[in-house]
Amino acid sequence: MSLNCTHCGADLTAPQSVRIAEYHFGRLQEKSQEPMEGPGFVYHIEVPDTYTLLCTNCKRLVRT
């Protein structure tokens, strides 16, 4: 079975045919640091709960 882009018909099973963008949700926590040591906060990443697939041939959205 072959998966094809609905816009341009490109084969999405080929190497580097899709671009996957994951959206990570999280929170910032203040951290006392000197400016040379870091940004002054820590980012806590949570599990990504959404992603999008883009066709690299036509640069259009395939699926969310």
Side-chain angles (χ1 to χ4, degrees), residues 8-54:
C8 68
D11 180 14
L12 300 177
T13 60
Q16 298 183 1
S17 61
V18 293
R19 183 176 201 172
I20 301 171
E22 289 184 305
Y23 299 95
H24 294 271
F25 296 93
R27 61 184 170 82
L28 296 178
Q29 180 181 8
E30 187 177 355
K31 184 175 183 181
S32 63
Q33 291 179 319
E34 293 297 320
M36 299 298 287
E37 294 176 351
F41 61 86
V42 177
Y43 182 62
H44 296 281
I45 297 175
E46 297 171 4
V47 178
D49 40 56
T50 188
Y51 64 93
T52 59
L53 296 175
L54 299 175

